[in-house]
Amino acid sequence: MTPPPARRRRTGANGTAPVHNLPRRGAVRRAQAITTYGVGSLIAVDHESFIVSGLDEAEQSWSRDESPRIHERRLARLLDVDCFRTPPASDDTSRDGLRVRRFPLMHSCPECNDLQRHRDFNPSAGRSVCGTCEVDLVPSRFVVACEAGHLGEFPYWQWVHRSKDRGATSAAQCGGKLKLRTSGHTASLRSILVSCTCGQAPEVSMEGSFRRNALKDLGLKCRGPRPWLGASAPAQECGLPLRTLQRGSSAVWQPVLKSALSIPPWSDGRADPLAEHWDALREYDEREHVEIYLKGVFKGKCPVPLDEVMALLDAEREEDPDSEAAPTFDHRYRALRNKEYERLRSGNDESEHTRDEQFVCETPLGDQSVLDPLGVTGPMLVKKLREVRALNAFTRLIDAESTTDSKEMPLSERPLRWLPAMEVRGEGVFLRLDEDRLDAWEKAPAVAARIERMRTAHQRVLEQRADDPSQVVPSPATPRMVLLHTLAHVLINEWSLEAGYPAASLRERLYAADDMAGVLVYTATSDSAGSLGGLVAQGEPELLDRTVRSAVHRAEWCSSDPLCVESEASGTGGTNLAACHACVMLPETSCEHNNILLDRALLVGTPDDPHLGFFANVLEQ
């Protein structure tokens, strides 16, 4: 978060009058508006705190030139929208930006120790100061949230008076005013003291407020507040238990992100004018009916030839589920990945690449047989790719991977036909593992035993984080998934040294299933580090052979050994085995699974069982 040196109001073009009479409070990058400071998240700017507003007003406030539409049909179909829009930039020249609202409203004055709503301090316009003391106000450090995604003020009055009256305010029926001070004896919650001037309740500390049942013991339940939608949005019926959180905790907001690669025939942008018409076009099977519809919609001048429209319809129907039963979201997302895997595996060497083509995947020119001893096959040079990442929803308290749809909070009060998203253009290297050798390795009892320990631990974590353990999706931990995941991490670490990229600018994309065993490593950042070039050259067989061998030898040793390689469990809830930040863990932006389900022993073996690793023969040479 980088606030500007001074607050100022936005101006129109050429320094004219402001487009919207709203003060500027800070600046975030477009990518941060998807991954870090999306709708419903809290932003700290100087000594103030805000919550990012919902998208209900964005249709009017986000200008088309600063927040253009982007299209990715396969992802739009998965998320049931027509298109996506990039969040507006918030630099000095932008006409508008992300809308925010003040939250939490409860503030304290470090001079007079008053604890009350921001407006009750009577601050001067545009400032957050105590009207009496003229010192900066401090936003409440504590908020409350529930697993359904609601967020509210911490009930200070009820905490002091041990009251079940959830509707009481700081002045309530006792007639007193809340006070908050810090004793300074310790840095713990015990030193944060809250009192009321009514004299009916003793001064109490914040110690114990973070217990899971602290607010439940007071009889307080969630009443469904949604402050990011504004005061006009009605509260939802909820009744779930409340949890106390620190305002800056990562549990306050976690994004639910979905992404897709642009692959043919959707990757040249020619189908973008039809974005809002695909649902209608799918109703027609006959060519003549499609032609009539297009003539009516585009008044006889369809921007896409009819033959291409029919080919696009055929491509879309290929991803339809085989069964008549309605597929789950996970099944549809898996189908999207399957189609990407097919395209990456086959490439498009024979196609004529136009300037607008956003997917160029070619077979390397070198001799691929040099990779056979490694068990690596089918390398492909992805010279050009485009990934669209969309913010679909967000969660609070519970991990986005373990949540169900009912616990995902939408970004607006009313359904919208678009979602905020960002697009990343770059390059990458795709490779597969030899299926025959992989099948034989997977059947080894020692491999299955290690994976079962990880899968059991991960499933236990998912069930603990979920509100309904019976609806938790099964853990994706399988021998090939963990092997591919760990291999991707060691390759990213190796290429960060060989290709000159920082590890945080590279990202993995795993394709692990019964019929898939591939990994794509690609440039994943929209800043300058994502356009350095040179990564795709690492996919040539001779260079790739050297890279894999070097990465495997590097993974053989860790500065935390023997504790790391002999570990019975590591990571969150024991979801890793031989993996730590000194060997295979990556920056969070590079990993699809938050640095869990990793085990370098599956690559190189253990001291007790050196033949356990898939690449054990490489180490023997």
Side-chain angles (χ1 to χ4, degrees):
M1 190 66 201
T2 308
R7 295 186 189 136
R8 52 196 179 278
R9 294 187 180 275
R10 299 182 184 276
T11 59
N14 302 320
T16 58
V19 178
H20 299 287
N21 193 29
L22 296 175
R24 181 192 181 105
R25 282 293 191 266
V28 296
R29 299 191 304 272
R30 283 178 168 171
Q32 287 180 309
I34 301 296
T35 59
T36 311
Y37 299 124
V39 171
S41 65
L42 297 181
I43 299 182
V45 182
D46 294 336
H47 56 275
E48 298 180 88
S49 175
F50 302 93
I51 189 168
V52 180
S53 299
L55 298 180
D56 294 285
E57 299 177 358
E59 191 69 39
Q60 291 75 32
S61 63
W62 290 13
S63 62
R64 293 297 176 91
D65 54 341
E66 293 187 352
S67 178
R69 291 187 176 188
I70 56 179
H71 298 279
E72 174 47 52
R73 172 56 189 167
R74 297 168 60 248
L75 185 60
R77 179 188 176 192
L78 175 73
L79 301 179
D80 193 24
V81 294
D82 293 332
C83 64
F84 305 95
R85 295 184 66 180
T86 58
S90 56
D91 52 29
D92 292 340
T93 60
S94 62
R95 301 173 60 201
D96 200 2
L98 294 177
R99 301 293 181 87
V100 297
R101 306 173 191 272
R102 189 178 298 279
F103 186 85
L105 298 178
M106 294 295 289
H107 285 61
S108 62
C109 174
E111 190 73 24
C112 63
N113 294 332
D114 281 353
L115 175 64
Q116 56 190 358
R117 289 182 175 271
H118 184 270
R119 64 169 181 260
D120 295 335
F121 283 99
N122 296 318
S124 54
R127 300 182 64 195
S128 181
V129 297
C130 178
T132 304
C133 308
E134 287 294 321
V135 297
D136 292 335
L137 296 175
V138 180
S140 170
R141 287 174 53 187
F142 311 106
V143 295
V144 295
C146 78
E147 292 185 351
H150 301 120
L151 185 70
E153 305 275 354
F154 182 82
Y156 287 102
W157 193 92
Q158 291 86 347
W159 183 251
V160 173
H161 294 80
R162 295 298 189 261
S163 170
K164 299 182 180 181
D165 185 2
R166 187 70 175 92
T169 64
S170 58
Q173 58 266 39
C174 72
K177 293 184 66 175
L178 291 176
K179 298 282 186 176
L180 184 144
R181 69 181 183 90
T182 303
S183 66
H185 294 159
T186 68
S188 66
L189 293 174
R190 183 180 303 175
S191 294
I192 302 177
L193 305 172
V194 186
S195 61
C196 183
T197 58
C198 69
Q200 300 176 13
E203 186 177 55
V204 297
S205 74
M206 292 296 295
E207 187 177 26
S209 60
F210 282 74
R211 289 189 300 108
R212 179 176 291 271
N213 295 325
L215 300 180
K216 183 180 179 181
D217 293 342
L218 294 179
L220 301 181
K221 296 182 179 180
C222 180
R223 305 182 76 176
R226 296 176 293 171
W228 61 94
L229 298 179
S232 60
Q236 294 180 321
E237 294 185 7
C238 185
L240 290 177
L242 288 169
R243 291 282 305 277
T244 304
L245 299 171
Q246 292 207 57
R247 176 163 44 91
S249 169
S250 60
V252 170
W253 188 84
Q254 295 190 44
V256 178
L257 298 173
K258 299 299 177 184
S259 66
L261 299 181
S262 294
I263 60 174
W266 308 95
S267 54
D268 58 5
R270 291 174 57 86
D272 292 352
L274 303 176
E276 300 178 1
H277 304 287
W278 288 114
D279 290 339
L281 287 170
R282 284 175 58 87
E283 299 295 328
Y284 304 108
D285 295 327
E286 300 296 331
R287 181 186 178 94
E288 294 78 10
H289 296 163
V290 173
E291 184 177 14
I292 294 173
Y293 176 85
L294 294 175
K295 286 182 177 179
V297 170
F298 294 101
K299 303 187 185 305
K301 298 180 180 179
C302 181
V304 185
L306 182 60
D307 290 340
E308 291 188 22
V309 175
M310 298 306 297
L312 291 169
L313 283 172
D314 291 339
E316 178 157 306
R317 291 184 176 118
E318 285 181 7
E319 297 189 27
D320 288 344
D322 297 330
S323 61
E324 297 182 359
T328 63
F329 182 89
D330 290 334
H331 282 94
R332 291 186 289 132
Y333 195 50
R334 199 173 302 123
L336 181 144
R337 287 291 184 103
N338 289 344
K339 187 59 66 173
E340 290 178 4
Y341 180 77
E342 292 176 10
R343 283 294 181 179
L344 288 167
R345 182 173 179 172
S346 60
N348 56 354
D349 297 68
E350 306 299 328
S351 305
E352 293 184 3
H353 306 312
T354 64
R355 183 176 181 180
D356 296 328
E357 179 59 55
Q358 297 164 340
F359 181 83
V360 178
C361 182
E362 299 177 352
T363 306
L365 299 177
D367 182 11
Q368 298 186 24
S369 63
V370 299
L371 298 172
D372 291 344
L374 301 176
V376 175
T377 185
M380 300 296 288
L381 309 181
V382 188
K383 297 182 176 180
K384 195 175 181 181
L385 64 80
R386 170 180 177 260
E387 182 194 23
V388 175
R389 299 179 199 156
L391 176 61
N392 186 38
F394 63 87
T395 64
R396 304 194 195 277
L397 295 176
I398 52 180
D399 187 73
E401 288 187 359
S402 61
T403 186
T404 58
D405 291 342
S406 62
K407 301 306 179 185
E408 294 180 357
M409 183 61 70
L411 307 181
S412 59
E413 184 176 9
R414 56 184 176 84
L416 298 178
R417 296 303 300 169
W418 60 274
L419 288 172
M422 59 178 289
E423 55 182 353
V424 177
R425 302 173 190 271
E427 61 182 13
V429 174
F430 174 76
L431 56 89
R432 295 180 288 121
L433 297 181
D434 181 78
E435 285 286 352
D436 294 335
R437 181 170 165 180
L438 184 60
D439 288 341
W441 174 82
E442 286 179 311
K443 296 175 181 177
V447 172
R450 292 184 72 90
I451 294 299
E452 181 59 24
R453 284 159 54 192
M454 298 175 68
R455 190 202 65 77
T456 302
H458 188 220
Q459 193 67 38
R460 182 170 58 250
V461 170
L462 293 177
E463 293 174 356
Q464 289 173 350
R465 292 176 176 176
D467 57 304
D468 186 357
S470 64
Q471 297 184 5
V472 174
V473 296
S475 170
T478 61
R480 65 175 60 196
M481 181 270 169
V482 178
L483 174 65
L484 287 167
H485 190 198
T486 311
L487 175 62
H489 278 229
V490 299
L491 286 177
I492 288 176
N493 279 328
E494 190 68 24
W495 277 329
S496 69
L497 302 174
E498 294 290 334
Y501 283 94
S505 68
L506 299 178
R507 187 175 174 87
E508 66 182 6
R509 196 169 180 87
L510 305 179
Y511 300 91
D514 292 339
D515 55 347
M516 296 192 298
V519 60
L520 172 68
V521 176
Y522 62 104
T523 54
T525 177
S526 55
D527 63 14
S528 58
S531 57
L532 293 173
L535 176 63
V536 71
Q538 302 296 319
E540 290 292 342
E542 295 80 5
L543 286 175
L544 186 59
D545 174 70
R546 188 179 69 186
T547 298
V548 173
R549 291 179 183 274
S550 176
V552 170
H553 279 285
R554 196 183 301 274
E556 186 181 13
W557 183 85
C558 171
S559 59
S560 296
D561 281 342
L563 295 178
C564 178
V565 73
E566 296 178 358
S567 173
E568 294 294 326
S570 65
T572 305
T575 50
N576 289 334
L577 289 182
C580 69
H581 285 285
C583 51
V584 299
M585 286 190 177
L586 293 175
E588 290 185 2
T589 55
S590 301
C591 181
E592 281 193 312
H593 296 280
N594 297 320
N595 274 327
I596 64 172
L597 305 181
L598 294 167
D599 183 13
R600 63 187 174 93
L602 298 184
L603 298 178
V604 300
T606 65
D608 295 334
D609 188 0
H611 298 288
L612 171 70
F614 183 83
F615 296 99
N617 64 316
V618 176
L619 301 175
E620 295 173 355
Q621 296 176 1

